[in-house]
Amino acid sequence: MKKLTVAVLFGGQSSEHEVSCMSAANMIAALNEEKYDVLPVGITKKGNWRICHGSVDVIREGRWEPYSVDAILSPDASRKCLLKLVGGKYKEIPVDVAIPALHGPWGEDGTVQGLLELAQIPYVGCGVLSSALSMDKVYTKLIAKAAKIPMAKFFWCDGRHLAETKEKVMDQAEKKLGYPCFVKPANSGSSVGVSKAKNREELEKALFYAAKYDRKVIMEEAIDGREFECAVLGNEEQHISGIGEIVTRLEFYEDDAKCPKGDTNLIIPAKVDGETLARMRKISEKIYHAVDASGLARVDFFMEKSGRVLFNELNTMPGFTAMSMYPMLWEEEGMSKTELMDRLIALALERDRGICG
């Protein structure tokens, strides 16, 4: 069989550039060389697209730029290719499927997905709508609320007008949420712009800090409990993994590549009773459908001391680093990283056939 040319997009303009490089390197290493010709495509922090000819190690370590040449992904659906630019000339490189191994804005939020849709190149992961909805914490929670999915109390405001509205916003936050509460940009990856406010003074600082990163600021009730994650794989039919638990000594859990070693442990499978496990898996399936997800997603939860399970968020391009829960959960189910990558590519092609007929 003819090998598929797989373009793996990594890096990007978000604050999770380095984490994306780690995820992409591990994905590339897991791809079966007998099935795929891999085309690593790095995106610099300034948004320059470049085909990387370096090793997996230089990608993982973020040293890939000197080993790369300029490239452009053509939006022309009749070409379905990357344009490699050298010496004022270009060469077309056909692409069969893309893996946008990008985390955060300008990659996980529907922007790159839209470009790939224009080019009619099949791609791994969620579509434009579900990517955009799931990146925006406000809209994710509004959808979860409409679907009657239990979650922590939340409140949001327009960060552009905080100078005039801050007193009213803080009054409402105190009334609806109390202290402590978390303050976050609505659209951001990882822990960028996130603060835990324990009083009014800290809340004011947290609001203006979060507003630096997004025009919408969301405030959430702080939950005193345990944190869990679940992996979902599939399009119309989903395979729901078991549950993993995050145990951390930090004030709040950051992303899986930035937490200092020793401060966070991942427990797979989580030590929870069967009823709780079933509840988390059911919520995972329900929110996956509610945001119209496809391909893959990771669903995060809190569990209060009372045992009540609360949905936290859905991540449409989970990390694939050495400390990422998503591939670990599938390995616990007996699926290797190579088998997982095969499945993700198959799902991308299946979804493309469904859209394009």
Side-chain angles (χ1 to χ4, degrees):
M1 291 180 65
K2 177 181 174 291
K3 288 186 179 182
L4 294 177
T5 298
V6 180
V8 181
L9 312 183
F10 66 90
Q13 299 177 68
S14 84
S15 61
E16 294 187 81
H17 179 101
E18 290 79 11
V19 180
S20 169
C21 291
M22 295 180 207
S23 289
N26 289 335
M27 287 181 173
I28 291 168
L31 286 168
N32 187 333
E33 294 181 358
E34 295 181 2
K35 294 181 179 180
Y36 314 112
D37 284 324
V38 181
L39 188 64
V41 182
I43 303 172
T44 70
K45 292 181 180 180
K46 292 183 178 180
N48 178 209
W49 287 50
R50 301 179 66 85
I51 294 174
C52 177
H53 297 293
S55 67
V56 167
D57 287 337
V58 302
I59 295 173
R60 181 179 288 111
E61 296 164 10
R63 300 184 289 108
W64 60 273
E65 288 188 44
Y67 305 90
S68 61
V69 296
D70 284 331
I72 296 172
L73 179 67
S74 171
D76 187 334
S78 70
R79 296 178 183 272
K80 296 182 174 61
C81 71
L82 274 158
L83 303 178
K84 182 179 180 180
L85 309 177
V86 181
K89 297 181 180 180
Y90 71 87
K91 177 184 178 182
E92 292 188 5
I93 304 177
V95 175
D96 294 307
V97 64
I99 303 175
L102 300 162
H103 306 310
W106 303 292
E108 198 178 349
D109 57 354
T111 50
V112 166
Q113 289 76 11
L115 178 57
L116 292 166
E117 294 277 0
L118 281 174
Q120 290 190 22
I121 296 174
Y123 58 92
V124 166
C126 293
V128 176
L129 177 64
S130 56
S131 296
L133 288 173
S134 302
M135 174 57 65
D136 191 309
K137 296 178 178 65
V138 172
Y139 281 106
T140 305
K141 289 182 181 295
L142 289 173
I143 289 170
K145 184 177 180 181
K148 295 182 170 53
I149 294 171
M151 58 187 167
K153 291 180 286 186
F154 71 98
F155 173 67
W156 71 278
C157 68
D158 190 329
R160 296 172 297 182
H161 307 297
L162 275 174
E164 301 86 23
T165 63
K166 64 178 182 180
E167 296 300 329
K168 182 179 179 181
V169 167
M170 289 190 291
D171 287 345
Q172 289 178 302
E174 288 174 338
K175 182 179 179 180
K176 292 185 177 183
L177 309 177
Y179 295 113
C181 65
F182 285 102
V183 184
K184 309 173 182 179
N187 289 274
S188 72
S190 183
S191 57
V192 175
V194 179
S195 304
K196 186 176 184 180
K198 300 175 183 177
N199 52 54
R200 193 177 181 91
E201 181 181 356
E202 290 183 358
L203 177 58
E204 181 176 349
K205 290 180 181 177
L207 287 168
F208 282 97
Y209 177 51
K212 290 180 181 180
Y213 297 94
D214 193 57
R215 68 180 181 84
K216 285 190 290 188
V217 176
I218 186 168
M219 292 144 276
E220 300 172 350
E221 169 192 18
I223 301 299
D224 182 14
R226 298 160 65 186
E227 295 184 53
F228 299 89
E229 295 182 350
C230 179
V232 186
L233 185 65
N235 292 331
E236 291 185 10
E237 295 182 3
Q238 296 84 45
H239 183 189
I240 314 294
S241 77
I243 304 297
E245 181 175 6
I246 300 163
V247 179
T248 181
R249 293 183 295 181
L250 302 172
E251 189 78 80
F252 53 90
Y253 180 59
E254 297 186 84
D255 66 68
D256 48 32
K258 292 181 182 176
C259 285
K261 291 182 179 179
D263 283 336
T264 300
N265 292 315
L266 306 181
I267 302 172
I268 304 173
K271 297 176 182 177
V272 294
D273 60 82
E275 183 180 341
T276 301
L277 173 65
R279 205 155 55 234
M280 289 182 183
R281 297 181 79 225
K282 184 64 178 176
I283 290 173
S284 296
E285 182 180 18
K286 193 171 184 179
I287 192 64
Y288 197 82
H289 280 291
V291 300
D292 195 29
S294 57
L296 77 162
R298 192 194 71 228
V299 184
D300 301 348
F301 302 93
F302 296 116
M303 186 172 75
E304 295 181 307
K305 292 180 179 179
S306 65
R308 188 169 71 125
V309 173
L310 302 173
F311 165 69
N312 181 26
E313 63 181 28
L314 181 144
N315 189 307
T316 58
M317 185 50 69
F320 216 86
T321 73
M323 280 293 292
S324 294
M325 183 83 82
Y326 189 88
M328 289 183 186
L329 286 166
W330 292 121
E331 285 181 314
E332 176 66 21
E333 305 259 327
M335 187 185 303
S336 70
K337 289 185 178 71
T338 295
E339 291 170 328
L340 176 57
M341 296 310 300
D342 283 345
R343 184 67 183 131
L344 289 172
I345 289 171
L347 288 167
L349 296 172
E350 175 188 277
R351 178 176 175 274
D352 181 69
R353 287 193 296 271
I355 291 174
C356 300

